[in-house]
Amino acid sequence: MSGFEMTIALDEVDRKILTLIQQDATLTHQEIADKAGLSPTSVWRRIKSLEEAGVIRGRVALLDAKQVGMQVSALVSVRLTHQGTGTGQEFEKFIAGRPEVLECFAVVGAYDYAMVVRVRDVERFEKFLSGTLLSHPAVASSTSSFAMRQVKYSTALSLE
């Protein structure tokens, strides 16, 4: 995904629908219609249109990481061996296939990428870091910080 995707114009009703389904994706069209002041058919059409436009990329269940045994959260910064686009593309393809990496951002500054990594324990993090990440030919170095506790977590975008 490049940083230059087109955005679509959202009206107030679209924003209301999107806010509602970000809070609870299990709401029925009737429930959304009641809260947004629309008919269920109108809600269905708008949601379908937002899905087709790529505004709604999917609907998922959000798991509590600790409840499923994923105890370690690390913030990892990565510096690549070369700055060429081929190296970056190779690294991005590699990271896309790594289930430990929840988020990865190309960044400006001392490092080339910043990632959020979630694993069961420190041993698995060490295996990922030493055995997987640092052994990749595109990776020159990395630095990691372990999260002590999560202060805020949200997947909802503010549409104001």
Side-chain angles (χ1 to χ4, degrees):
M1 185 184 313
S2 76
F4 300 103
E5 285 84 18
M6 280 185 54
T7 59
I8 69 164
L10 300 173
D11 65 18
E12 196 57 39
V13 175
D14 290 332
R15 284 195 242 314
K16 178 71 172 171
I17 291 169
L18 291 170
T19 298
L20 288 167
I21 64 176
Q22 283 187 105
Q23 293 168 353
D24 184 356
T26 66
L27 291 173
T28 66
H29 292 149
Q30 181 65 58
E31 291 169 323
I32 295 169
D34 292 344
K35 293 179 182 197
L38 299 169
S39 71
T41 304
S42 182
V43 167
W44 178 83
R45 280 192 201 114
R46 283 181 178 259
I47 289 174
K48 183 110 173 104
S49 175
L50 291 165
E51 287 172 336
E52 289 170 357
V55 174
I56 299 172
R57 295 184 354 192
R59 299 182 210 185
V60 299
L62 300 175
L63 306 182
D64 183 303
K66 288 189 177 185
Q67 292 289 334
V68 296
M70 305 302 277
Q71 300 296 320
V72 174
S73 185
L75 309 172
V76 181
S77 296
V78 175
R79 185 176 296 122
L80 299 182
T81 55
H82 299 92
Q83 297 300 313
T85 56
T87 303
Q89 289 171 345
E90 177 187 341
F91 178 75
E92 290 173 16
K93 183 176 179 185
F94 163 70
I95 287 302
R98 298 306 315 171
E100 308 92 338
V101 178
L102 300 182
E103 295 183 80
C104 181
F105 302 91
V107 297
V108 175
Y111 290 89
D112 300 305
Y113 291 89
M115 302 184 300
V116 175
V117 175
R118 193 79 190 224
V119 292
R120 290 195 179 280
D121 51 42
V122 173
E123 291 78 21
R124 289 187 193 192
F125 179 77
E126 193 276 330
K127 183 178 178 184
F128 166 74
L129 183 67
S130 297
T132 304
L133 185 66
L134 293 175
S135 64
H136 191 278
V139 176
S141 64
S142 76
T143 185
S144 302
S145 299
F146 288 102
M148 295 181 355
R149 63 187 166 89
Q150 190 172 58
V151 176
K152 180 181 179 183
Y153 172 74
S154 177
T155 61
L157 301 174
S158 174
L159 300 175
E160 296 176 12

